[in-house]
Amino acid sequence: MKKQHQVILSIGTNQGNRLENIEHCIHHLHKEVGTLIKVSKLYETPSWGFKSEKFYNCAVIMNTQKSAHQILEECLCLEEALGRIRTETENYEARIIDIDVIAFDEEIIASDKLQVPHPEMHNRLFVLLPMRDLNLHWRHPILQKYLHELLLLSEDNSDCKIVQNLELPIASLKLDHFNYIVIEGNIGAGKTTLTNKLAEDFNAKSVLERFADNPFLPKFYEDQNRYAFPLEMSFLADRYQQISDDLAQFDLFKDFIVADYHIFKSLIFAKVTLAEDEFRLYKTMFDIIYKEMPKPDLYIYLYQSTERLLSNIKERGRSYEQEIPAEYLKKINNGYLDYIKSQNDLNVLIIDVTNRDFQSNQEDYVFVLNEIQHKISN
């Protein structure tokens, strides 16, 4: 999964219940458009460029894999859904809600519909002050100035006052209460995708399985009987080494660790792929290693139906996976479920994502976050 884009949006309103307008907008942006990871304080500012009631303004940071133009279109649709009525005039007007795309990473975009960075952002305190609250290490890609430099150079002397703090939608999801979270699931369930998204959205260190570096994996799918044992032993050694190293190296700048596998998956896959005598030998080695491995504080299992898994595998297009039979996936799933049932002291959350696309659909991702929230709350 490619790294998410970081989008800065400015939100304003000067009609109706201004606080309620801002809060509704933040809620719907997060639920429908992209993950909001930071929100500024709420400011009251005079109208800019025309005479009208004072505005409430704030800024947010959004993580998303969508394009800048897609974000723009979805923000315009959200404005309309929240009651904004646009007129043909080119003059500034009072509005119930206004969402501006201020920045998209540090890209420069110039099209008929969208200009990024916003061409007037550096002249407007009601944009710069909320952006300062976000603690960004962002530089204007055209002016080559950081936020504190833009504020010093700004000639806007508007009276922008802080009204109150605003609540971030993900603030209640206290993942940093955990030290070590594991995302598990069958082949093609979306483990790595979810791990990467959680790591980026919640400031975590990600630990990703290095399956692509295993020289036995393509050979195993061609001749399972011959390469099953060296493959499983290779995976076991590599997983042990990686987890030992990554969990031992504390990162001062990250709040917790999230991994897309747990060491016990080695035994689950080995039981399916190895002959009985090979499995006995393998389990002897595994038991020695497993005793030294820390258990995760939260173990999340992503369940998907076999049909959906096969579709996902086909879509991601790894050549050596295309001939995986449905029966093999069913055995792996049963192995995971048997393991989960046997672990009385493991904090387990099973999420059925068969009909969910949490990579492309923000509402499906929010569904997953809500499931995690319910688990933590209970």
Side-chain angles (χ1 to χ4, degrees):
M1 187 185 95
K2 64 182 180 180
K3 189 175 177 63
Q4 297 182 97
H5 299 292
Q6 188 170 89
V7 186
I8 303 170
L9 301 175
S10 176
I11 307 172
T13 175
N14 77 330
Q15 291 182 330
N17 188 324
R18 295 174 296 169
L19 176 59
E20 190 174 277
N21 295 343
I22 292 286
E23 290 176 335
H24 283 175
C25 185
I26 288 173
H27 169 78
H28 285 284
L29 280 170
H30 176 72
K31 181 181 177 182
E32 301 162 17
V33 184
T35 307
L36 300 190
I37 62 168
K38 285 186 180 180
V39 62
S40 72
K41 294 180 175 64
L42 180 65
Y43 288 77
E44 185 175 62
T45 66
S47 57
W48 197 94
F50 71 115
K51 291 184 178 181
S52 184
E53 300 298 321
K54 290 183 178 181
F55 275 79
Y56 272 3
N57 290 97
C58 70
V60 298
I61 300 177
M62 174 186 291
N63 278 352
T64 181
Q65 289 187 317
K66 298 172 182 175
S67 70
H69 284 87
Q70 189 175 357
I71 293 296
L72 173 64
E73 290 300 320
E74 293 188 14
C75 286
L76 291 174
C77 290
L78 179 55
E79 285 181 345
E80 184 178 350
L82 293 177
R84 180 167 182 178
I85 300 174
R86 293 181 178 272
T87 63
E88 296 299 323
T89 180
E90 294 182 1
N91 298 324
Y92 293 110
E93 294 181 309
R95 65 216 73 167
I96 193 167
I97 200 69
D98 185 33
I99 310 170
D100 285 326
V101 180
I102 302 298
F104 188 83
D105 297 328
E106 291 189 4
E107 291 188 19
I108 300 172
I109 302 172
S111 70
D112 293 339
K113 293 185 176 181
L114 179 64
Q115 288 185 291
V116 172
H118 194 286
E120 292 296 328
M121 64 158 292
H122 58 289
N123 295 322
R124 298 176 178 177
L125 279 183
F126 70 80
V127 174
L128 295 175
L129 290 176
M131 282 182 67
R132 185 176 63 180
D133 293 345
L134 301 176
N135 296 318
L136 292 161
H137 188 70
W138 179 84
R139 183 172 61 176
H140 196 295
I142 298 174
L143 302 177
Q144 294 296 297
K145 303 289 184 183
Y146 289 98
L147 273 174
H148 69 278
E149 296 173 304
L150 294 176
L151 278 164
L152 288 174
L153 294 172
S154 175
E155 297 180 359
D156 184 1
N157 57 4
S158 300
D159 183 21
C160 298
K161 297 179 180 179
I162 294 175
V163 177
Q164 65 175 69
N165 293 327
L166 291 169
E167 185 175 351
L168 192 65
I170 63 172
S172 60
L173 188 52
K174 305 292 186 182
L175 292 184
D176 57 352
H177 286 184
F178 301 117
N179 292 319
Y180 175 32
I181 298 174
V182 162
I183 311 296
E184 266 288 14
N186 213 325
I187 302 168
K191 303 180 293 293
T192 304
T193 295
L194 184 57
T195 297
N196 281 327
K197 285 177 73 68
L198 292 178
E200 291 179 20
D201 295 343
F202 294 88
N203 190 41
K205 175 183 178 180
S206 61
V207 178
L208 306 179
E209 187 171 15
R210 300 185 291 235
F211 65 88
D213 299 331
N214 194 309
F216 295 105
L217 192 56
K219 297 176 182 178
F220 166 76
Y221 285 120
E222 293 176 3
D223 189 347
Q224 293 193 16
N225 291 333
R226 181 178 179 183
Y227 290 104
F229 189 75
L231 172 72
E232 299 301 346
M233 288 300 297
S234 175
F235 267 137
L236 179 60
D238 193 51
R239 288 165 182 155
Y240 170 75
Q241 187 66 56
Q242 185 180 17
I243 292 178
S244 298
D245 291 346
D246 283 318
L247 293 186
Q249 296 172 2
F250 183 73
D251 192 331
L252 292 174
F253 300 100
K254 300 296 182 181
D255 294 330
F256 60 97
I257 291 174
V258 57
D260 69 348
Y261 71 98
H262 179 40
I263 191 70
F264 200 91
K265 78 177 295 182
S266 299
L267 197 64
I268 293 171
F269 277 78
K271 190 172 183 179
V272 174
T273 60
L274 298 181
E276 187 175 343
D277 55 343
E278 291 177 330
F279 180 72
R280 284 198 300 269
L281 174 59
Y282 181 91
K283 189 173 185 305
T284 300
M285 296 295 297
F286 175 85
D287 288 341
I288 296 172
I289 290 175
Y290 189 60
K291 290 178 183 177
E292 301 180 19
M293 289 286 95
K295 287 190 175 182
D297 302 305
L298 179 62
Y299 181 102
I300 300 173
Y301 182 72
L302 301 178
Y303 171 80
Q304 294 212 29
S305 68
T306 302
E307 292 75 18
R308 177 67 186 275
L309 292 172
L310 290 170
S311 175
N312 293 344
I313 290 168
K314 183 178 180 180
E315 184 176 346
R316 72 184 182 186
R318 295 173 187 160
S319 58
Y320 54 83
E321 292 181 342
Q322 297 309 304
E323 301 303 320
I324 296 178
E327 190 59 33
Y328 178 76
L329 296 175
K330 290 177 182 178
K331 289 180 179 178
I332 295 299
N333 181 63
N334 290 335
Y336 272 113
L337 296 180
D338 287 343
Y339 164 69
I340 290 170
K341 291 175 184 176
S342 69
Q343 302 299 302
N344 296 325
D345 59 345
L346 191 62
N347 189 22
V348 176
L349 169 63
I350 300 176
I351 306 177
D352 188 342
V353 291
T354 297
N355 298 313
R356 304 281 178 177
D357 181 2
F358 51 79
Q359 178 172 353
S360 303
N361 188 307
Q362 179 64 13
E363 291 194 49
D364 287 342
Y365 179 53
V366 171
F367 164 81
V368 172
L369 295 183
N370 288 339
E371 290 294 294
I372 299 173
Q373 174 65 59
H374 293 156
K375 177 66 177 179
I376 295 173
S377 300
N378 293 332

